[in-house]
Amino acid sequence: MNDFFAKNFTLCDRWFCSLPAGTQPNRLMSMSGFSQLEVNRTILPDQKLVYDWLDERNITWRVYHQEIPFFSLMPRWLTDILASDKFRLLEDMASDLLNTPPDQLPQVIFVEPTYEDSPHTGSSTDDHAPAGISDGQEFLMETYKAVIASRAFWQGALMIVDYDEHGGFFDHVAPPLIPTNPPDEAEWTEPFKSLGPRTPAFIISPFVKAGAVSHNLLDHTSVLKLLGEKFGNGS
C-alpha cells in the first residue's frame, strides 16, 4: 500500500519524529504537542491530549482501533475506551462511513493498528519489528478502502498516514537541529537538540496530485497545527 500511496497521492520526504526518542514520547508529541516522558513507561502521565482540545471546541471525533487503543495506558481514558461511542472497532469503520450522513460523522477520525508491543490476539499490524510488513500493509488497505467506500465522505476527506518513530538505521537524511525544551512537570530536564529520525508519511486525498512529493519540513506536531488552523483559528 505504501507504494500505491506514493504513486497515486503525495509522499512527504521530510517528515521527522518530533523527538530523538522512542514510541511513547513521540506518540505523546503527536497527540499533545509535548511529552512529559523521554523514555517509555508502563503507565502514561495524565497530560492533555488532542481529544481534550477537540472536546473543548465541540469538534466531534472518533478513534477506530483494531485491538487495544494506545491511550489505555492513560487511566482516565479507560472509561471512554470501554463504554463510549468515541472508540469503535476498525471493522465498523467502513459501515459507519458508508451508512451515516456526512454531517453526522465525526469531524476528525483517528485509526490505530494492532501494536506489536501490546497484548493482542493475532498478528500486529503496525509495521513494527519483528512482525512482517504484510499485515501492516493490509491494515492500511482496510483503512483506505473504508475511507473511499463512501463517495460523499471521500470527496471531502484528507487521510494522513505517518509513523511515530523510525524503523531503520541507515537513513541518509540527518534530523534538523530544532531543539525541544522540557515542558512543565516533565520527567526530563535537558532539552533535546534535534528532531528525531525521518519517518514515512503520506497525504491521501482527492485534493492532492498523484505522484507528488512534498519537501516541506514536517514532524508529528504538524497534524496538530493543521487541526488548529482548521478548527481553532490557528491556536
Side-chain angles (χ1 to χ4, degrees), residues 7-178:
K7 290 178 178 176
N8 291 277
F9 299 103
T10 294
L11 167 70
C12 301
D13 70 349
R14 298 196 70 213
W15 191 301
F16 295 84
C17 300
S18 297
L19 298 175
T23 297
Q24 292 182 2
N26 273 294
R27 205 165 296 166
L28 288 170
M29 289 294 292
S30 70
M31 298 297 284
S32 295
F34 69 97
S35 173
Q36 294 180 12
L37 303 178
E38 62 176 332
V39 295
N40 292 346
R41 292 280 186 266
T42 302
I43 302 297
L44 295 177
D46 185 7
Q47 63 179 67
K48 187 175 179 179
L49 301 177
V50 66
Y51 305 154
D52 300 297
W53 186 91
L54 293 169
D55 281 339
E56 291 168 0
R57 289 155 181 79
N58 296 315
I59 305 301
T60 56
W61 58 272
R62 179 174 290 157
V63 176
Y64 287 97
H65 56 93
Q66 283 191 314
E67 288 273 353
I68 300 175
F70 175 71
F71 286 105
S72 299
L73 296 174
M74 190 177 288
R76 73 177 171 95
W77 284 102
L78 285 175
T79 299
D80 281 336
I81 289 171
L82 294 173
S84 170
D85 191 52
K86 289 183 175 179
F87 291 83
R88 289 173 60 78
L89 293 174
L90 180 61
E91 62 192 46
D92 298 322
M93 182 175 171
S95 176
D96 288 350
L97 298 186
L98 188 61
N99 298 314
T100 307
D103 61 350
Q104 296 180 26
L105 286 169
Q107 293 164 276
V108 181
I109 293 174
F110 305 90
V111 185
E112 296 191 58
T114 300
Y115 298 113
E116 171 65 28
D117 54 0
S118 69
H120 51 275
T121 57
S123 300
S124 64
T125 60
D126 59 354
D127 284 343
H128 194 297
I133 64 172
S134 61
D135 292 313
Q137 295 301 292
E138 288 182 11
F139 159 75
L140 289 176
M141 180 175 65
E142 181 180 355
T143 303
Y144 173 71
K145 289 172 65 176
V147 169
I148 67 172
S150 168
R151 180 173 177 82
F153 180 81
W154 169 243
Q155 286 178 336
L158 172 67
M159 174 178 165
I160 300 174
V161 176
D162 65 348
Y163 291 76
D164 53 34
E165 56 169 309
H166 71 122
F169 301 95
F170 302 100
D171 195 346
H172 66 286
V173 177
L177 297 177
I178 299 175

